[in-house]
Amino acid sequence: MTYSKSKTETVANHLKTRFMEGHVEGHEIVVALISMVKAEKIQLHEVASILRAVFFDQPQGMWVALEKANTLMDDQLIDSILQEVNEQV
């Protein structure tokens, strides 16, 4: 079941705050969002709007985060993250 629009906005605001405070890097946000898509918590089309919110509509910041995440992750990584989360629940 996917999150409601307000819950998705809450996720975007939380990630933006964590990013601005330096607690997470851009590529970590991308990995988290892709994991949420695979877990069916958000829709793929919502990823772009969340990234726009986190990166203040700056395409260059989004691009850097997406490129770095692309070099670091694959489906196996996402699946292992989801499995680990499920084991902790």
Side-chain angles (χ1 to χ4, degrees):
M1 179 176 191
T2 60
Y3 291 154
S4 66
K5 181 176 173 75
S6 65
K7 198 164 197 175
T8 301
E9 289 172 359
T10 300
V11 168
N13 290 330
H14 176 73
L15 292 173
K16 181 178 182 178
T17 300
R18 301 277 299 169
F19 179 71
M20 289 175 26
E21 292 174 349
H23 296 290
V24 295
E25 294 186 34
H27 68 279
E28 294 172 316
I29 291 171
V30 173
V31 172
L33 293 173
I34 297 302
S35 297
M36 292 173 74
V37 169
K38 287 194 79 164
E40 299 179 355
K41 297 298 181 186
I42 61 173
Q43 299 289 322
L44 184 58
H45 71 273
E46 294 173 305
V47 171
S49 64
I50 293 170
L51 288 176
R52 280 194 300 273
V54 170
F55 291 99
F56 300 95
D57 280 322
Q58 298 296 318
Q60 187 170 6
M62 289 184 275
W63 183 253
V64 169
L66 288 164
E67 280 187 325
K68 187 167 185 180
N70 185 49
T71 63
L72 297 175
M73 72 177 192
D74 57 18
D75 283 343
Q76 189 175 29
L77 171 64
I78 300 299
D79 290 340
S80 68
I81 291 169
L82 290 173
Q83 181 180 0
E84 187 175 320
V85 168
N86 287 331
E87 288 173 358
Q88 293 177 1
V89 173

